[in-house]
Amino acid sequence: MYRIGIGHDTHRLEPGNGLWLGGVKIPHSQSAVGHSDADVLLHAITDAILGAAALGDIGELFPDDDPENKDRSSSSMLAIARDHVWNASWTIVNMDCIIFAQKPKILPHREVIRQHISELLALDIDQVWLKAKTGEAVGPIGEEQAIAAECIVLLETQAAFNKT
Ligand code: CDP
Ligand code: ZN
């Protein structure tokens, strides 16, 4: 049995010392603002796997008014979500992700990001794909006020379901 999931996330950008994307710190003149490390890509992936398994969403598992979640690494949040998904007998078949950012260029960092995500989720690197798009210099993405990410994931289970 298969289930598909989707995740989307946006964070505001401010002058700063780099961006956490997919668990990797990318050098940049801006940073994303958020309660955690504001890693839009890992937040989108976390929501995609939780959604596919019908196990809630990132804000439910890690409320941003809980001081325990302040500055929590997004890799640790994804690891907890991954454990919930595994405990429910789901395994990840593949995921396809998009980062929406005018700058910086993501392509030179793609392989290290894919490597980090695939290790965290115990996947082969070819089960994780990543691409990036600019905002064509218009709107909040194009004007470098925001960064966003999306992820689509496919889960598989060996368990039999008899849901009507
Ligand atoms: O060419 P098109 O308008 O479809 O896309 P674009 O937004 O201009 O991006 C062109 C290419 O640049 C993408 O396919 C990515 O390979 C790369 N890119 C990137 O590496 N980092 C970004 N932040 C945006 C785009
Ligand atoms: Zn986020």
Side-chain angles (χ1 to χ4, degrees), residues 55 79 81-92 120-123:
L55 288 173
R82 171 205 68 195
D83 290 345
H84 286 305
V85 167
W86 282 348
N87 288 338
S89 301
W90 294 103
T91 57
I92 296 167
L120 189 65
L121 298 175
L123 299 171

Side-chain angles (χ1 to χ4, degrees), residues 9-11 36 38-40 43 58:
D9 193 31
T10 304
H11 280 261
S36 64
D39 188 324
V40 281
H43 294 180
I58 191 169

Side-chain angles (χ1 to χ4, degrees), residues 99-108 131-136:
I99 292 173
F100 299 89
Q102 189 63 33
K103 287 180 187 163
K105 278 281 176 204
I106 302 301
L107 212 49
K131 46 203 175 264
K133 300 299 281 187
T134 68
E136 295 286 339

Side-chain angles (χ1 to χ4, degrees), residues 54-75:
L55 288 173
D57 71 38
I58 191 169
E60 266 184 296
L61 264 64
F62 309 101
D64 64 9
D65 55 5
D66 183 342
E68 268 210 6
N69 295 326
K70 175 140 179 55
D71 299 324
R72 188 196 274 274
S73 99
S74 298
S75 291

